Amino acid sequence: MARSIRLFVTRRWRIPKAMLALMVLEFPLTVAALALFGIADPNLYRTKLWQNGADQGFNSSPIMILYAFANYKPIAVPLVWSSFMTTWNVIISVLSMFILLVKSVMWVMHIFIPLVSLVVHGTLIALYAIAIRNQSAPDLLDPEHPAKGLPWYLSKGCSYATEANKGYCMQARASFGVTCVMLALWSIYFLLSLYSLIPTTAERTSREADIELRKLGAYTPDEPEMSREAQRDANRQLFLNLPKTPTTPWGRSADNPMTPRTVAFTQLNGGSNGNASGRAGLGADLGARAGPRGGLPFREQWNGA
């Protein structure tokens, strides 16, 4: 029996109210992420915070990139200050809003099953984990001022920001915080989906009962190991070989296969119209439809007159 149900996963949620509460919480967080990442795109404050940290001696300077380009030297922009980080954040926020809308519709239609949720939120966990890595990547471009840990606005706060950059520093910190909260939300979704995939004892019992009923319905003494395709063909042949319901050619029931014309000829011939005699003489009655054989007493009487 264990072999028959090893791939059995449930289609129902263990705690549906928790799923509904998470989707309600997800909406404002997704809107906040979309707003913060959209405001930062394409480069509202990234380079300004980079330069602010360089002035304080916390990281490299964006001027090094200009010198490298001017001298035609290949150089890689630190990931935490790159446009890739900003673009990635915008893409995942838009994707999160799209998934939320589709997920809400599927939930209302009762087709958002735990297996689908596991795949979707597992993917979102990977995407947001990369986003956190991008926002917290080290800056080792300048050997004299390496930043091996978090960027300065996350590790040291906004007290080192200039007056013009304090608002931008708060936005950058809020973006990182929303990203972490979203990652935690996707992790809760993932764990709840995984928990709902494990069938309960009652569901296992019901599944085993269904399998037993199917085995009893498909059991054949001659071929107990018949494959599914062979069983389907056998059932089809069994259906085709079923005896036909006895009916007359004109659609009447077999209990009374007498037509008005047959009754008339039978009465004229002096026969009876009972059901028993009708069944016994069905061939004679059918033959009477083609016309009477021999003389008719009623017709002969009037012809003689």
Side-chain angles (χ1 to χ4, degrees), residues 60-292:
S60 63
S61 173
I63 299 178
M64 299 179 63
I65 305 298
L66 298 178
Y67 288 157
F69 287 162
N71 296 322
Y72 300 99
K73 293 182 179 180
I75 191 172
V77 179
L79 187 60
V80 67
W81 309 118
S82 64
S83 60
F84 173 79
M85 184 265 294
T86 306
T87 304
W88 182 270
N89 293 340
V90 174
I91 291 175
I92 63 174
S93 62
V94 174
L95 180 62
S96 300
M97 179 60 71
F98 174 76
I99 290 177
L100 175 59
L101 296 177
V102 176
K103 181 168 57 178
S104 302
V105 175
M106 294 178 66
W107 177 266
V108 173
M109 298 177 65
H110 302 286
I111 58 177
F112 190 65
I113 60 177
L115 183 59
V116 175
S117 175
L118 190 73
V119 175
V120 170
H121 294 111
T123 304
L124 288 174
I125 287 175
L127 296 177
Y128 274 80
I130 295 175
I132 292 178
R133 172 60 180 173
N134 295 341
Q135 297 179 53
S136 60
D139 177 10
L140 304 177
L141 183 62
D142 189 355
E144 298 181 0
H145 302 91
K148 300 180 179 180
L150 296 173
W152 67 269
Y153 58 84
L154 294 178
S155 60
K156 304 180 183 303
C158 295
S159 58
Y160 293 94
T162 61
E163 288 295 328
N165 292 332
K166 281 188 176 181
Y168 297 145
C169 176
M170 295 298 295
Q171 290 185 31
R173 289 172 64 89
S175 299
F176 184 78
V178 169
T179 307
C180 294
V181 173
M182 293 292 285
L183 180 61
L185 180 65
W186 305 140
S187 301
I188 297 174
Y189 268 121
F190 186 84
L191 294 176
L192 184 59
S193 303
L194 188 61
Y195 175 68
S196 298
L197 280 176
I198 303 174
T200 60
T201 304
E203 290 171 338
R204 287 181 180 274
T205 304
S206 176
R207 177 68 173 178
E208 291 174 2
D210 293 341
I211 293 176
E212 289 296 334
L213 290 176
R214 292 179 183 177
K215 286 184 176 180
L216 290 176
Y219 175 74
T220 54
D222 298 334
E223 298 181 6
E225 300 296 333
M226 185 180 295
S227 64
R228 181 177 300 179
E229 293 295 332
Q231 183 63 37
R232 185 181 296 112
D233 293 337
N235 293 337
R236 185 183 298 110
Q237 293 297 328
L238 180 63
F239 176 77
L240 294 177
N241 293 331
L242 288 176
K244 304 295 183 180
T245 302
T247 55
T248 57
W250 50 89
R252 299 285 182 175
S253 173
D255 294 337
N256 187 15
M258 306 293 289
T259 62
R261 184 177 179 182
T262 305
V263 173
F265 281 120
T266 303
Q267 293 178 352
L268 291 176
N269 286 326
S272 61
N273 193 20
N275 290 336
S277 62
R279 294 190 188 98
L282 179 60
D285 293 337
L286 293 177
R289 297 185 60 198

Side-chain angles (χ1 to χ4, degrees), residues 36 39-40 43-50 168-169 171-172 175:
L36 289 171
I39 290 173
N43 188 12
L44 178 63
Y45 53 77
R46 186 180 65 249
T47 303
K48 294 178 181 179
L49 295 180
W50 188 4
Y168 297 145
C169 176
Q171 290 185 31
S175 299

